[in-house]
Amino acid sequence: MKYTYFNFKKWNDQQILLTNDLGRWAFVSLPTFQAMLLHRLDNTDPSYAELLEKGFLYEDDADVYLERHSRALREAKGYLMDATSLHIFVLTNACNARCIYCQAQSTASHKKGLMSAETAKKAVNLAFQSPEPFLSIEFQGGEPLLNFDTLQVIVSEAEKKAAETRKKVEFSLVSNLNLLTEEMVRFFQEHHVSVSTSIDGPMRLHNTNRPLCQGGGTYEGTIRGLKRLQEADVCVGAIETTTRYSLNHWKELVDEYRALGLHSIFLRPLTPLGFANADWNQVGYTADEFIAFYQKALAYVVEINRQGYFLSEGHAATFLSKILLGQGKNYMELRSPCGAAVGQMAYYYDGNVYTCDEGRMLAEMGDRAFQLGTVEDTYDSLMNSNVCKACCVASTLEAAPTCSDCVYQPYCGTCPVLNYALDGDVFSKIPNHYKCQTYKGMLDAVFGLLNQKNPEIDNILDRWVR
């Protein structure tokens, strides 16, 4: 009997959670774990067949093992063979709202501007230099609807490029929807632009988190826009950002999504960039506080599914895609290496190009450390830049201290931009820091559900990813 490398975590007094680089996992008893450590496990052990099937041990030679399991590793790391697919166009850094946690705004940045048609066309040309056959163009801000004219230019140019290059392109928009017009709705229908908005809970909570610049809240305009898009059969969804004000309102928050006829909720922790960083003492919280919120909200989402209403949670679904299917969704931060530059790029309104949305957010705070170049450059030159290479090296968990031997390494990811913003280095200097604790706690909640071995819950979780 031969054993492969695995990571482990004490789950409780009776169980140990094991994972391996294939993304396979198993809960085993303490006696089984001890027998493995002593190389005394035999085929009479209750977990023997499962461990053999999942590649924790093998009976044949190494070549047979590799032949049997290499496909799983190729599928789990399949994104490494893809080029940059997500292209974020920051149409403006101006906004009609002043969200209390905004990562894309900072007191260090006062200049506001709009992306010109000329810059937009150059950015589209750069995006289509990526050898990836399927491209996703996402419109961000600020509030991107403040620059709807340039949005239309980008869609037109991208559709022409797609026809010329025989590539496929899809469009998405991130907006608070308060500026939505009938002209925009018709355009989104015609060009199949999907829309994502932010809903942070019922009106009072949402407006506390997301007020308008001129006073009042964004809730009424967001809900009005959401319902209009739903009526027009435009694909529309929503995400939630958790502030200190949200922590005690997990039930009302989830109920709001159900009442609005939404079938996905994405529970996001705060990232300390922009206003969130400056006002952290007011709006932020500890990792433990967020985890307590997330566990309650996730359990309630599962209960709603048991009552017959389909509602998935976005972070859990991303993790479960890896845990249950061995397939990583293209969620850039939960990759190893992360998607900075090699999976996504952000084109700022002024023509500067950054590794990712977080990279341009850091630039809003006055630090352009993650600028790859400009729209005048070529795709190849941006990929060969030292910034791109540094991000790839710094976000490879398999070689990162404390990450390489973490039980959740196959499912997790790290953000070099956040590491740099918090620690002054793309490599995290603080083991088990805020974001690390947060992801560990969320994965604890997901594996806690799986460990219940409840067929009804297992079926719900399986539906979220299939």
Side-chain angles (χ1 to χ4, degrees), residues 5 7 20-22 73 76-77 79-80 335-338 392-406 409-412 414:
Y5 181 83
N7 292 330
N20 58 26
D21 285 342
L22 303 174
L73 186 59
K77 294 291 187 179
Y79 54 80
L80 293 176
R335 293 176 20 163
S336 174
C338 76
C392 289
V393 171
S395 61
T396 300
L397 296 189
E398 290 84 350
T402 72
C403 293
S404 60
D405 56 1
C406 176
Q409 174 260 312
Y411 320 116
C412 201
T414 188

Side-chain angles (χ1 to χ4, degrees), residues 143-256:
E143 172 50 58
L145 293 185
L146 287 167
N147 198 6
F148 183 61
D149 289 345
T150 298
L151 185 154
Q152 292 173 291
V153 170
I154 293 168
V155 170
S156 176
E157 287 293 310
E159 289 177 340
K160 289 177 185 175
K161 281 283 186 182
E164 293 169 1
T165 59
R166 296 187 178 180
K167 294 185 178 186
K168 294 184 178 179
V169 61
E170 69 174 12
F171 306 100
S172 60
L173 166 76
V174 179
S175 168
N176 62 44
L177 301 182
N178 277 246
L179 301 177
L180 187 71
T181 65
E182 283 302 313
E183 177 193 3
M184 295 172 183
V185 173
R186 290 192 296 270
F187 183 85
F188 299 153
Q189 282 179 312
E190 181 180 350
H191 297 276
H192 307 287
V193 179
S194 63
V195 178
S196 176
T197 192
S198 292
I199 299 175
D200 283 0
M203 181 185 293
R204 185 174 179 179
L205 174 58
H206 179 97
N207 285 342
T208 297
N209 286 350
R210 302 180 61 81
L212 287 165
C213 287
Q214 304 302 321
T218 56
Y219 179 86
E220 290 185 351
T222 297
I223 301 305
R224 181 171 58 248
L226 173 75
K227 292 182 177 179
R228 180 65 191 95
L229 292 168
Q230 288 174 329
E231 292 168 358
D233 289 326
V234 173
C235 181
V236 58
I239 58 175
E240 179 269 351
T241 302
T242 308
T243 68
R244 171 163 293 281
Y245 307 115
S246 314
L247 295 177
N248 294 324
H249 300 287
W250 49 271
K251 184 178 185 298
E252 301 96 308
L253 199 160
V254 174
D255 284 339
E256 180 75 10

